[in-house]
Amino acid sequence: MLKGFNYPLTPKGKSTLNPPPPWYYSSDFLNIEFWSDPAAVAALLPPGLAPDRTANGHGNALFYDWQFSGENEEYLDPARYQYREFFLLFDALYEGKPVVYCPYIFVDNDAAIARGWTQGYPKRLGQVFQTRYYAATGKAGPGLTHGAKFAGTLTSGGQRLAEGLVILQEPVTDRSLLKQRPVVNLLHTARLAAGAQDKPAVHELVENVPRDVKIEQAWVGEGSLTLPVAKGEEMSDLAPVRCGKGIRASMAYIVDDLKTLKDLAK
Amino acid sequence: MLKGFNYPLTPKGKSTLNPPPPWYYSSDFLNIEFWSDPAAVAALLPPGLAPDRTANGHGNALFYDWQFSGENEEYLDPARYQYREFFLLFDALYEGKPVVYCPYIFVDNDAAIARGWTQGYPKRLGQVFQTRYYAATGKAGPGLTHGAKFAGTLTSGGQRLAEGLVILQEPVTDRSLLKQRPVVNLLHTARLAAGAQDKPAVHELVENVPRDVKIEQAWVGEGSLTLPVAKGEEMSDLAPVRCGKGIRASMAYIVDDLKTLKDLAK
Amino acid sequence: MLKGFNYPLTPKGKSTLNPPPPWYYSSDFLNIEFWSDPAAVAALLPPGLAPDRTANGHGNALFYDWQFSGENEEYLDPARYQYREFFLLFDALYEGKPVVYCPYIFVDNDAAIARGWTQGYPKRLGQVFQTRYYAATGKAGPGLTHGAKFAGTLTSGGQRLAEGLVILQEPVTDRSLLKQRPVVNLLHTARLAAGAQDKPAVHELVENVPRDVKIEQAWVGEGSLTLPVAKGEEMSDLAPVRCGKGIRASMAYIVDDLKTLKDLAK
Amino acid sequence: MLKGFNYPLTPKGKSTLNPPPPWYYSSDFLNIEFWSDPAAVAALLPPGLAPDRTANGHGNALFYDWQFSGENEEYLDPARYQYREFFLLFDALYEGKPVVYCPYIFVDNDAAIARGWTQGYPKRLGQVFQTRYYAATGKAGPGLTHGAKFAGTLTSGGQRLAEGLVILQEPVTDRSLLKQRPVVNLLHTARLAAGAQDKPAVHELVENVPRDVKIEQAWVGEGSLTLPVAKGEEMSDLAPVRCGKGIRASMAYIVDDLKTLKDLAK
């Protein structure tokens, strides 16, 4: 009997990319609100999701520094169980219900790719960095104070694809600021068989089911984001028309489920 | 309509990890023959494959320096369309027919992960290197001559997982040396839904269907391989009992199909 | 007039590896105390430093996650101005005065190599990771609490060269625990001219002159360290005979000076 | 007695970044001729070098895939002894003699940084790729034939800094095409001591002394190059006004000397 949740499946299940769920996460993150051309947002929604006209192209860009673990202290191998991530979320409607959809996401770790694809996140490899907060502050380490600056960058395939900045104003007291719409993704597994390349093995609209979400040390301020034009890339079609709030916080949560909303292959 | 074969699916299909098949490959490679404990080989075969008792634990370790392209000169973006690969193939039987099975494989590129998972190759990220042959030879560049040495190494998750060496003896004149059994893989896509984590979305025995395989500049000699013990890894269970021939050559081929032998999920 | 402190020197001085001093640093770090074979420690001291016989082979292994900046908010380009570091310090005597000497150090950033070599730190490239503390704790994010575990790893040239672990016991109340002897390094610049390869251009004993050192959030507990044997590497000659205290803390400081103790080239 | 040519200096000399000279190299390379604004070229020359007015801003961009070795088969550890490089060379005059000067150069390997700085090459880390030629050609592997295309790219600090293309026309029959002016560099070692930061420890004009240069498999055709604008970088000030020939070839040579032309510190 081979063991393993994601590849590879092996006799002992030790070499597998990921321990079995539940999956535990802790992180620091930047969240930058912005508005893109609503037509560009509408163009990237999969079947089953409708544009949220009232949102007017509203999205969020997120930079995460993650630590991940299964049940067995995997986080004590930080070379494998830390990773960095950048992604975009855009407002949309599923059967009239407000949700967000993730069209682009980048990480620097293969296990994170595997978990992502298992949840409908269309991850590619990228180099992601965000300014860190350290308890020992100074000119190289911004504090959690009014005016402190935190930047993020994304490079993939050797090209700079995103740059963001958050300038803190005040601690978040209104927790509703930290609420997020449910994430609805396109779960997709291609099929290579010659006659079936247009019939994916899996093609579903799925809803993420995070639990035990915990947000700490949250500050809010101004956000700004650029999505530069790059060869062979189309994320810049979503370049911000204007930017809004910026948040910097820590977050922990658990993932051990996924809900299929609709099988699009049928 | 979203476009793209692998993730992400986007309005223009430019940001996708891979162009649609056919997929074109050129490479240099090292191929090292060895024998593992037959029980260790038997233990890693998926349902539907039987140990090849006459093979006595026979396998091959391969180091590849690849260049990849679709139909649109993608190879002219070498930062994305080159990658390096290490994998193991073990002799097995499918319905009595001699095949090989790939339990472990490592690449340094996300598009190669996506293509691999689409073909049943259980790819993880790794850093793979092999000694190169250059037309301008010298003490840093072995020629294609008797006694020339070519080495390969694999590191993943910060640990050295394989080291190989080929010492050339003579050009390959007997082309049967270059024949390979069909590769039969386990095509596997996990399912995260809470009640279905033991019911993968895809779980099939598949046969690779390479075409237009071209091998050039092939030399044969002695091979040697080590698979060191590493924390949290079990590839070392296959550590060679003895080693055999080593080959160094260039190879090109095309992939645009995959054949399902058996749906194991049913 | 060309501008730049380290290479390259250019018309505007923007492309240089480092802004001019002062250099500002913030970090999180692990510090693991251990004892090596005193003969192995004595063997690696440069001329001018004597073994500290009372120290009995005492050293410290340090894992740092750094953020760096000059005067112009360079830390807002985190892809260039963050880096990770591992190094060893061993007790020694300079003219009878207790100091520490750094024989091995690894970073993942070229600007850090340039600054290091300018201060006598013999830096090589390595991949360094340490478990992070996040305000949002959980199974993937240890808190600053009794029993919490923080691990560190180093890989260089594809081989695992160090692994460390700190298990927290209590906050540091006795600040003398955080004191460090002065760091005395070998400042060395090789000379390639055919007749002068044994006459380095620079070969001095130098003392580091950190200022405004600030340590926050310090916890102390047990430390453990391994320095595995690796091909072509000799750091494992210093493998711990036993280990001592472990510390986890945040640190900030400024560097803008270096003191030459002795010109060894003369 | 500590051993080692470059850092670190250790009891056995095994851990050092580089074996002692002679240093052996083999490679494949692209060489693209272009012309920049002559004023931009003049602005980057160090004292002792004069603009070559007749050259009219003439330079060369080079992409190299290197293999390196000392006397002890170091090339059999390809994870450490292979690297990729991009650099620019501009025509200049030293005491009226035609030479070339290297203002910018990028590699992906620390030992190559150490050797470079020892020869006056102002190396930074970068990710460099060039299209490879394989004996097994196809849509992913251009042959050495009329019309074949070879591309190169450079990324550093997460930003794309150069892109080049060579389209082959014919084998090089006129070997004078492959001649190169002597490379004259600025050998520079900064000094951190508070009062001496404007008094580098080493500041010399040096001439490279390659020997046993061997060029094979050379083809010539058209070259093209772009040097995109990037934040915090000034290489784009040299963006080509026009481009000229492109060459693709293999090269081997040996380095074991360096000639000081002028001590600029005096």
Side-chain angles (χ1 to χ4, degrees):
Chain A
M1 277 299 300
L2 298 180
K3 293 174 194 158
F5 182 75
N6 293 118
Y7 273 136
L9 275 60
T10 61
K12 299 172 186 163
K14 284 165 48 181
S15 284
T16 180
L17 276 161
N18 281 299
W23 294 333
Y24 299 88
Y25 299 82
S26 277
S27 63
D28 283 347
F29 71 90
L30 304 180
N31 180 344
I32 298 165
E33 178 185 41
F34 66 101
W35 286 261
S36 301
D37 172 4
V41 176
L44 55 70
L45 298 179
L49 289 188
D52 183 346
R53 301 294 171 195
T54 65
N56 201 26
H58 182 267
N60 290 74
L62 300 112
F63 295 88
Y64 272 90
D65 274 16
W66 288 109
Q67 205 156 252
F68 167 80
S69 199
E71 296 284 6
N72 295 299
E73 294 190 330
E74 285 84 355
Y75 72 96
L76 292 179
D77 183 358
R80 287 189 62 179
Y81 293 92
Q82 283 181 358
Y83 65 104
R84 290 162 158 173
E85 184 173 76
F86 170 83
F87 59 112
L88 299 181
L89 294 174
F90 284 98
D91 293 4
L93 299 176
Y94 172 70
E95 297 189 347
K97 184 178 86 165
V99 299
V100 284
Y101 173 72
C102 175
Y104 297 105
I105 179 165
F106 297 82
V107 292
D108 59 4
N109 176 290
D110 53 358
I113 285 184
R115 287 193 307 275
W117 292 4
T118 303
Q119 298 172 77
Y121 285 105
K123 290 183 181 178
R124 286 172 46 192
L125 281 181
Q127 292 70 52
V128 184
F129 293 89
Q130 65 172 278
T131 305
R132 287 181 59 169
Y133 161 70
Y134 297 101
T137 58
K139 281 206 182 174
L144 298 179
T145 55
H146 183 93
K149 295 177 185 174
F150 293 83
T153 61
L154 163 69
T155 296
S156 183
Q159 298 185 100
R160 176 62 48 89
L161 299 188
E163 297 183 352
L165 181 68
V166 173
I167 306 180
L168 305 187
Q169 287 172 341
E170 59 194 11
V172 171
T173 48
D174 174 5
R175 301 288 292 187
S176 74
L177 264 179
L178 305 175
K179 286 257 164 152
Q180 195 187 269
R181 297 173 171 206
V183 177
V184 171
N185 282 334
L186 177 61
L187 189 70
H188 174 80
T189 302
R191 175 102 25 220
L192 183 58
Q197 289 167 10
D198 58 350
K199 295 178 190 64
V202 179
H203 201 66
E204 304 176 1
L205 218 52
V206 294
E207 182 176 335
N208 278 257
V209 191
R211 65 176 172 88
D212 295 2
V213 178
K214 205 159 63 167
I215 298 184
E216 303 287 347
Q217 229 178 28
W219 278 66
V220 65
E222 277 173 71
S224 61
L225 177 76
T226 58
L227 300 173
V229 172
K231 283 193 190 171
E233 302 285 352
E234 56 199 291
M235 194 163 68
S236 59
D237 293 346
L238 299 162
V241 176
R242 65 187 179 90
C243 297
K245 278 191 287 293
I247 287 171
R248 198 247 167 230
S250 288
M251 198 254 259
Y253 82 142
I254 302 173
V255 171
D256 54 6
D257 195 5
L258 184 76
K259 189 174 153 193
T260 295
L261 300 180
K262 197 172 196 166
D263 188 341
L264 301 172
K266 290 185 177 165
Chain B
M1 278 299 302
L2 298 181
K3 293 175 194 158
F5 182 75
N6 294 118
Y7 272 135
L9 276 59
T10 60
K12 298 173 186 163
K14 283 165 48 181
S15 284
T16 181
L17 277 161
N18 281 298
W23 295 334
Y24 300 88
Y25 299 81
S26 277
S27 64
D28 284 347
F29 71 90
L30 304 179
N31 181 344
I32 298 165
E33 178 185 41
F34 66 100
W35 286 262
S36 300
D37 172 4
V41 176
L44 56 69
L45 297 180
L49 289 188
D52 183 346
R53 301 293 171 196
T54 65
N56 201 25
H58 181 267
N60 290 74
L62 299 112
F63 295 89
Y64 272 89
D65 273 17
W66 288 108
Q67 205 156 256
F68 167 80
S69 198
E71 297 283 5
N72 294 299
E73 295 190 329
E74 285 84 356
Y75 72 95
L76 292 178
D77 183 358
R80 286 189 64 179
Y81 293 92
Q82 283 181 357
Y83 65 105
R84 289 161 159 175
E85 184 174 77
F86 170 84
F87 60 111
L88 298 180
L89 294 174
F90 284 98
D91 293 5
L93 298 176
Y94 172 69
E95 298 189 346
K97 184 178 87 164
V99 300
V100 284
Y101 173 72
C102 175
Y104 296 106
I105 179 167
F106 297 82
V107 292
D108 60 4
N109 175 291
D110 53 359
I113 285 184
R115 287 192 308 274
W117 293 3
T118 304
Q119 299 172 77
Y121 286 104
K123 291 184 180 177
R124 287 172 45 193
L125 281 181
Q127 292 70 51
V128 184
F129 293 90
Q130 65 173 278
T131 304
R132 286 181 60 169
Y133 160 69
Y134 297 101
T137 59
K139 281 205 183 174
L144 298 179
T145 55
H146 183 93
K149 296 177 183 172
F150 292 84
T153 61
L154 163 69
T155 296
S156 183
Q159 298 185 101
R160 175 62 47 90
L161 299 187
E163 296 183 353
L165 181 68
V166 173
I167 306 182
L168 305 188
Q169 288 171 341
E170 58 195 10
V172 171
T173 47
D174 174 5
R175 302 287 292 185
S176 74
L177 265 179
L178 305 175
K179 286 257 163 151
Q180 196 187 271
R181 296 173 172 208
V183 177
V184 171
N185 282 333
L186 177 61
L187 188 71
H188 174 81
T189 303
R191 176 76 64 201
L192 182 58
Q197 289 168 8
D198 58 350
K199 294 178 190 65
V202 179
H203 201 64
E204 304 176 1
L205 217 52
V206 292
E207 181 177 335
N208 278 257
V209 190
R211 66 176 171 88
D212 297 2
V213 179
K214 207 160 62 168
I215 298 186
E216 304 286 346
Q217 230 177 28
W219 278 67
V220 65
E222 276 173 71
S224 60
L225 177 76
T226 57
L227 299 173
V229 172
K231 282 194 192 170
E233 302 285 351
E234 55 198 290
M235 194 164 67
S236 60
D237 293 347
L238 299 162
V241 177
R242 65 185 179 94
C243 297
K245 277 192 288 293
I247 286 171
R248 197 244 168 231
S250 288
M251 198 253 259
Y253 82 142
I254 302 174
V255 171
D256 55 5
D257 195 5
L258 185 76
K259 189 173 152 192
T260 295
L261 300 179
K262 198 172 196 165
D263 188 341
L264 302 171
K266 291 183 178 168
Chain C
M1 278 301 301
L2 297 181
K3 292 176 194 157
F5 183 75
N6 294 119
Y7 272 136
L9 275 59
T10 61
K12 299 172 186 164
K14 283 164 47 181
S15 284
T16 181
L17 276 160
N18 281 299
W23 295 333
Y24 300 87
Y25 299 81
S26 277
S27 63
D28 283 347
F29 71 90
L30 304 180
N31 181 343
I32 298 164
E33 178 185 41
F34 66 101
W35 286 262
S36 301
D37 172 5
V41 176
L44 56 69
L45 297 179
L49 289 188
D52 183 345
R53 301 293 171 196
T54 65
N56 201 25
H58 182 265
N60 290 75
L62 299 112
F63 295 88
Y64 271 89
D65 275 15
W66 287 108
Q67 205 156 255
F68 167 80
S69 198
E71 296 284 5
N72 295 300
E73 295 189 329
E74 285 84 355
Y75 72 95
L76 293 180
D77 183 358
R80 286 189 63 179
Y81 293 92
Q82 284 180 357
Y83 65 104
R84 290 163 158 173
E85 185 174 75
F86 170 84
F87 60 111
L88 299 181
L89 294 174
F90 284 98
D91 292 5
L93 299 175
Y94 172 70
E95 297 188 348
K97 184 179 88 165
V99 300
V100 284
Y101 173 71
C102 175
Y104 297 105
I105 179 167
F106 297 83
V107 292
D108 59 4
N109 175 290
D110 53 359
I113 285 184
R115 287 193 309 274
W117 293 2
T118 304
Q119 298 172 78
Y121 286 104
K123 290 183 181 178
R124 286 172 45 192
L125 282 181
Q127 292 70 52
V128 184
F129 293 89
Q130 66 173 276
T131 305
R132 288 180 60 168
Y133 161 68
Y134 297 99
T137 58
K139 281 206 182 174
L144 299 178
T145 55
H146 183 94
K149 297 179 184 172
F150 291 84
T153 61
L154 164 69
T155 296
S156 183
Q159 298 184 101
R160 176 62 48 88
L161 299 187
E163 297 183 351
L165 181 67
V166 172
I167 305 181
L168 305 187
Q169 288 171 340
E170 59 195 11
V172 171
T173 47
D174 174 5
R175 301 287 291 185
S176 74
L177 264 180
L178 305 175
K179 285 255 165 153
Q180 195 187 271
R181 297 172 171 207
V183 177
V184 171
N185 281 333
L186 177 61
L187 189 70
H188 174 80
T189 303
R191 177 71 71 197
L192 182 58
Q197 289 167 10
D198 58 350
K199 295 177 190 67
V202 178
H203 201 66
E204 303 176 0
L205 218 51
V206 293
E207 181 175 335
N208 278 258
V209 191
R211 66 175 172 87
D212 297 2
V213 178
K214 208 160 61 169
I215 298 185
E216 304 287 347
Q217 230 178 26
W219 278 67
V220 64
E222 276 174 72
S224 60
L225 177 75
T226 57
L227 299 173
V229 173
K231 283 193 190 169
E233 302 285 350
E234 57 198 289
M235 195 164 68
S236 59
D237 293 347
L238 300 162
V241 176
R242 66 186 178 92
C243 296
K245 276 191 290 292
I247 287 171
R248 197 247 167 228
S250 288
M251 198 254 258
Y253 82 143
I254 302 174
V255 171
D256 54 6
D257 196 5
L258 185 76
K259 190 174 154 193
T260 294
L261 300 179
K262 198 172 196 166
D263 188 342
L264 302 172
K266 292 187 175 164
Chain D
M1 279 299 301
L2 297 182
K3 293 175 194 158
F5 182 75
N6 294 117
Y7 273 135
L9 276 60
T10 61
K12 299 173 185 163
K14 283 166 45 182
S15 284
T16 180
L17 276 160
N18 281 299
W23 294 333
Y24 300 88
Y25 299 81
S26 277
S27 64
D28 284 346
F29 71 89
L30 305 180
N31 181 344
I32 298 164
E33 179 185 40
F34 66 100
W35 285 262
S36 300
D37 172 4
V41 176
L44 55 70
L45 297 179
L49 289 188
D52 183 346
R53 299 297 171 193
T54 64
N56 201 26
H58 181 267
N60 290 74
L62 299 110
F63 295 88
Y64 272 89
D65 273 17
W66 288 109
Q67 205 156 255
F68 166 81
S69 199
E71 296 284 5
N72 295 300
E73 295 190 328
E74 285 84 355
Y75 71 96
L76 292 179
D77 183 358
R80 287 190 63 180
Y81 292 92
Q82 283 181 358
Y83 65 105
R84 289 161 158 174
E85 184 173 77
F86 170 83
F87 60 111
L88 298 180
L89 294 174
F90 284 98
D91 293 4
L93 298 175
Y94 172 69
E95 297 188 347
K97 184 179 86 165
V99 300
V100 285
Y101 174 72
C102 175
Y104 296 105
I105 179 167
F106 297 82
V107 292
D108 59 4
N109 175 291
D110 54 358
I113 285 184
R115 287 192 309 274
W117 292 4
T118 304
Q119 300 171 77
Y121 286 104
K123 290 183 181 177
R124 286 172 47 193
L125 282 181
Q127 292 71 50
V128 185
F129 293 89
Q130 65 172 278
T131 305
R132 287 181 61 169
Y133 161 69
Y134 297 100
T137 57
K139 281 205 182 174
L144 298 179
T145 55
H146 183 93
K149 296 178 184 173
F150 293 83
T153 61
L154 163 69
T155 296
S156 183
Q159 298 184 100
R160 175 63 46 90
L161 298 187
E163 297 183 351
L165 181 68
V166 173
I167 306 181
L168 305 188
Q169 287 171 342
E170 58 194 10
V172 170
T173 48
D174 174 6
R175 301 288 291 185
S176 74
L177 265 180
L178 305 175
K179 286 257 162 152
Q180 195 186 269
R181 297 170 171 208
V183 176
V184 171
N185 281 334
L186 177 62
L187 189 71
H188 174 82
T189 304
R191 176 82 57 207
L192 183 59
Q197 288 166 10
D198 58 350
K199 295 177 190 66
V202 180
H203 201 65
E204 305 175 1
L205 218 51
V206 293
E207 181 176 335
N208 278 258
V209 191
R211 67 175 170 87
D212 296 3
V213 178
K214 207 160 60 170
I215 299 186
E216 304 287 346
Q217 229 177 27
W219 278 67
V220 64
E222 276 174 72
S224 61
L225 177 75
T226 57
L227 299 173
V229 173
K231 283 194 191 172
E233 302 285 351
E234 55 198 290
M235 195 164 67
S236 59
D237 292 348
L238 299 162
V241 176
R242 65 186 178 93
C243 297
K245 277 192 288 293
I247 286 171
R248 198 246 167 229
S250 287
M251 200 254 259
Y253 82 144
I254 302 173
V255 171
D256 56 5
D257 196 4
L258 184 76
K259 189 173 153 193
T260 295
L261 299 179
K262 198 172 196 167
D263 188 342
L264 302 172
K266 289 184 177 166

